[in-house]
Amino acid sequence: MHRHEGHDACRTAAPDMVARAEAICRERGLQFTPLRREVLEAVAGSGKAQGAYDIAERLSAPGKRVAPVSVYRALDFLMEQGLVHRIASRNAFIPCGHDHAPGEGVIFLICRTCGGVDEASSADVEGGLERTLERAGFTPTHSILEVEGDCGACRERDHAP
């Protein structure tokens, strides 16, 4: 199992995320538009999972309103390129600073107390899920598992004397 210590999954500095995105887009012949860059910087720089409306508000300025639909389009692109993950239960987005292996599932560990998100993957979980899906005759396009509970830091704080 790999696990990213701390909260909000893959903590990578915003400039590093942007450099990675530029390289990926260049390699794949894709456009890394100014809005896509701004959205990635907002997600990577926030320090927590955020929704598209929060991102749109953050990017908007007097005389320059960014529409949530434009942010959703940018987020869709960033997810397709593996730069951002969506936490479905929160309808929120977090950065991802590493490449996942083809078919590798993602497990999000979501703290119900502080709202932090850690990311993990597990060959054991993958194998069990694969067997279950095979028995059901189901072919997934991707798999993301969200587990809600209490992170170690919150548990320790709650149990401290």
Side-chain angles (χ1 to χ4, degrees):
M1 168 162 30
H2 84 257
R3 180 179 165 106
H4 303 279
E5 297 304 323
H7 288 313
D8 297 314
C10 306
R11 284 199 173 176
T12 302
D16 294 338
M17 289 291 301
V18 169
R20 180 171 174 254
E22 288 172 339
I24 286 171
C25 288
R26 195 172 34 256
E27 288 168 14
R28 298 175 184 170
L30 301 170
Q31 292 287 322
F32 191 51
T33 65
L35 181 61
R36 290 171 177 171
R37 174 187 300 273
E38 289 175 6
V39 169
L40 181 59
E41 288 172 338
V43 172
S46 79
K48 63 178 186 152
Q50 348 172 44
Y53 283 84
D54 298 324
I55 296 167
E57 186 174 312
R58 183 174 175 179
L59 297 180
S60 294
K64 178 195 167 204
R65 184 173 176 324
V66 177
V69 69
S70 298
V71 171
Y72 273 116
R73 273 192 231 116
L75 288 165
D76 285 343
F77 172 85
L78 296 170
M79 285 188 299
E80 288 170 10
Q81 305 315 313
L83 298 162
V84 170
H85 289 302
R86 179 175 177 261
I87 307 296
S89 63
R90 303 279 195 274
N91 196 23
F93 301 86
I94 57 172
C96 183
H98 71 281
D99 293 320
H100 291 279
E104 178 185 33
V106 178
I107 304 168
F108 292 118
L109 310 174
I110 305 166
C111 182
R112 62 185 176 165
T113 303
C114 69
V117 179
D118 283 339
E119 180 182 336
S121 65
S122 166
D124 292 337
V125 171
E126 285 292 314
L129 181 59
E130 188 175 302
R131 287 186 296 279
T132 300
L133 295 173
E134 206 171 273
R135 282 192 300 269
F138 188 83
T139 303
T141 54
H142 67 282
S143 65
I144 295 175
L145 176 63
E146 296 182 21
V147 180
E148 188 171 303
D150 298 307
C151 71
C154 288
R155 252 192 350 268
E156 286 177 20
R157 189 183 61 242
D158 290 346
H159 290 35

